[in-house]
């Protein structure tokens, strides 16, 4: 990894088209300005980590759990079509 | 090819049905090939199953099931490059679904939707930068009745949008 020391107001160039500007340094925080072409995605690392974590969680889904949830949806559809009486069936739980 | 998935058992997959994700799915970067499977008992959810590691499968859904106001994914230029997006291409958007608490907490990841170019079957999980979307957008309230109502209205909304 390349490590550079920069002062407030100094810049870093990555290639011809990406410029990183040190806008402010205060306490433990650094404020960066990033100039990059529109085809370069710039996001906070935390967003990627949250999505990775959520994907790992989601990949553990079981067929039974999804079948149960799907049946709730489909029950809702049927109940709706029965008419305006809104006869709520007793909750049976779906665990 | 034959594929033995954890959730759906053994199935035959035609090569032309395989979707290619050049960057994989976040956290599963090594998995590039998936199939999308529709089985009636799971509708309105679909399965996105890795052909390389068939024990890995995601439940996905139309985002309109999960979100009342319009949910639109604006693809960045790099997303478009990854999908080889050309004028006239149709891009389908799906969200990955999680279920917790024995089915009581159903959430969708609106922050990281899966987009698919239907012309060339290239797919990508993209990042939506808007702070109004969460990785765990709730779908259902705990009460089953409320859940059913949400489901029904979501369905009619989809019907209305064709």
């Amino acid at each position: 990894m390349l490590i550079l020391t920069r002062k407030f107001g100094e810049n870093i160039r990555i290639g011809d088209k990406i410029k990183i500007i040190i806008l402010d340094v205060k306490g433990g925080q650094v404020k960066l300005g990033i100039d990059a072409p529109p085809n370069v995605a710039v996001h906070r690392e935390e967003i990627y980590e949250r999505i990775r974590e959520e994907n790992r969680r989601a990949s553990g889904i079981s067929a039974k759990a999804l079948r149960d949830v799907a049946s709730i949806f489909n029950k809702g559809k049927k109940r709706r079509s029965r008419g305006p009486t809104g006869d709520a069936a007793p909750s049976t739980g779906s665990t | 090819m034959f594929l033995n998935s954890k959730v759906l058992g053994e199935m035959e997959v035609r090569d032309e049905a395989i979707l290619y994700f050049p960057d994989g799915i976040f956290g599963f970067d090594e998995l590039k090939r998936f199939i999308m499977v529709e089985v009636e008992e799971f509708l309105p959810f679909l399965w996105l199953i890795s052909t390389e590691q068939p024990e890995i499968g995601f439940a996905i859904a139309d985002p309109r099931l999960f979100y009342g106001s319009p949910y639109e994914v604006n693809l960045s230029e790099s997303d478009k490059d990854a999908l080889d997006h050309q004028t006239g291409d149709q891009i389908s958007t799906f969200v990955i679904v999680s279920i917790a608490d024995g089915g009581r907490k159903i959430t969708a990841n609106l922050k990281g939707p899966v987009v698919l170019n239907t012309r060339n079957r290239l797919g990508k999980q993209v990042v939506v930068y808007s702070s109004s979307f969460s990785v765990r957008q709730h779908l259902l309230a705990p009460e089953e009745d409320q859940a059913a109502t949400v489901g029904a209205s979501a369905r009619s909304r989809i019907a209305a949008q064709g």
Side-chain angles (χ1 to χ4, degrees):
Chain A
M1 182 188 281
L2 172 69
I3 298 172
L4 299 171
T5 303
R6 301 273 71 192
K7 291 189 182 117
F8 162 73
E10 292 182 335
N11 303 334
I12 295 167
R13 282 271 182 180
I14 301 173
D16 294 338
K17 292 183 176 146
I18 299 175
K19 184 160 88 166
I20 297 172
I21 308 149
I22 316 299
L23 293 175
D24 197 12
V25 183
K26 203 188 292 172
Q29 284 194 320
V30 180
K31 190 184 271 183
L32 303 173
I34 298 161
D35 267 337
N39 63 336
V40 175
V42 179
H43 296 297
R44 290 179 179 84
E45 174 62 22
E46 297 93 294
I47 291 181
Y48 290 93
E49 187 45 46
R50 285 216 302 278
I51 294 174
R52 276 195 289 270
E53 188 191 318
E54 192 55 26
N55 282 347
R56 283 191 285 268
R57 204 172 79 104
S59 69
I61 192 168
S62 74
K64 182 185 182 311
L66 190 64
R67 195 179 291 118
D68 288 348
V69 170
S71 76
I72 294 174
F73 265 81
N74 298 324
K75 203 187 289 173
K77 186 189 169 198
K78 280 178 206 147
R79 198 178 292 166
R80 208 12 107 80
S81 64
R82 221 182 277 158
T85 52
D87 52 335
S91 178
T92 53
S94 55
T95 51
Chain B
M1 65 181 285
F2 271 96
L3 182 150
N4 197 358
S5 86
K6 186 187 83 175
V7 284
L8 297 174
E10 191 164 290
M11 63 184 98
E12 191 177 357
V13 177
R14 287 174 295 115
D15 284 350
E16 58 269 30
I18 295 175
L19 313 173
Y20 184 57
F21 286 65
D23 303 326
I25 298 277
F26 290 118
F28 298 87
D29 303 27
E30 71 287 4
L31 303 181
K32 314 282 191 199
R33 289 180 169 77
F34 290 84
I35 49 163
M36 204 176 281
V37 188
E38 182 183 315
V39 183
E40 192 173 357
E41 63 180 315
F42 297 108
L43 289 175
F45 305 98
L46 307 172
W47 287 99
L48 185 67
I49 295 171
S50 162
T51 62
E52 292 149 315
Q53 232 175 292
E55 66 274 20
I56 303 292
F58 299 93
I60 58 172
D62 185 319
R64 286 170 295 187
L65 286 172
F66 288 84
Y67 202 69
S69 57
Y71 175 68
E72 202 175 335
V73 177
N74 292 312
L75 296 178
S76 70
E77 291 301 317
S78 60
D79 295 336
K80 287 180 184 172
D81 287 351
L83 297 175
D84 187 26
H85 183 273
Q86 292 169 18
T87 312
D89 281 357
Q90 299 249 1
I91 305 294
S92 300
T93 304
F94 301 91
V95 287
I96 298 179
V97 176
S98 277
I99 301 176
D101 268 14
R104 290 162 63 91
K105 278 195 187 142
I106 301 151
T107 58
N109 183 351
L110 297 184
K111 200 91 192 160
V114 171
V115 294
L116 182 70
N117 187 340
T118 55
R119 174 179 58 84
N120 52 23
R121 312 186 79 80
L122 284 174
K124 185 175 179 12
Q125 186 173 29
V126 300
V127 179
V128 175
Y129 197 49
S130 163
S131 58
S132 51
F133 299 124
S134 155
V135 295
R136 289 189 194 169
Q137 177 80 37
H138 282 272
L139 169 62
L140 304 180
E143 287 303 312
E144 195 203 15
D145 271 352
Q146 280 173 274
T149 309
V150 173
S153 61
R155 281 183 161 275
S156 55
R157 206 160 57 233
I158 280 183
Q161 291 176 13

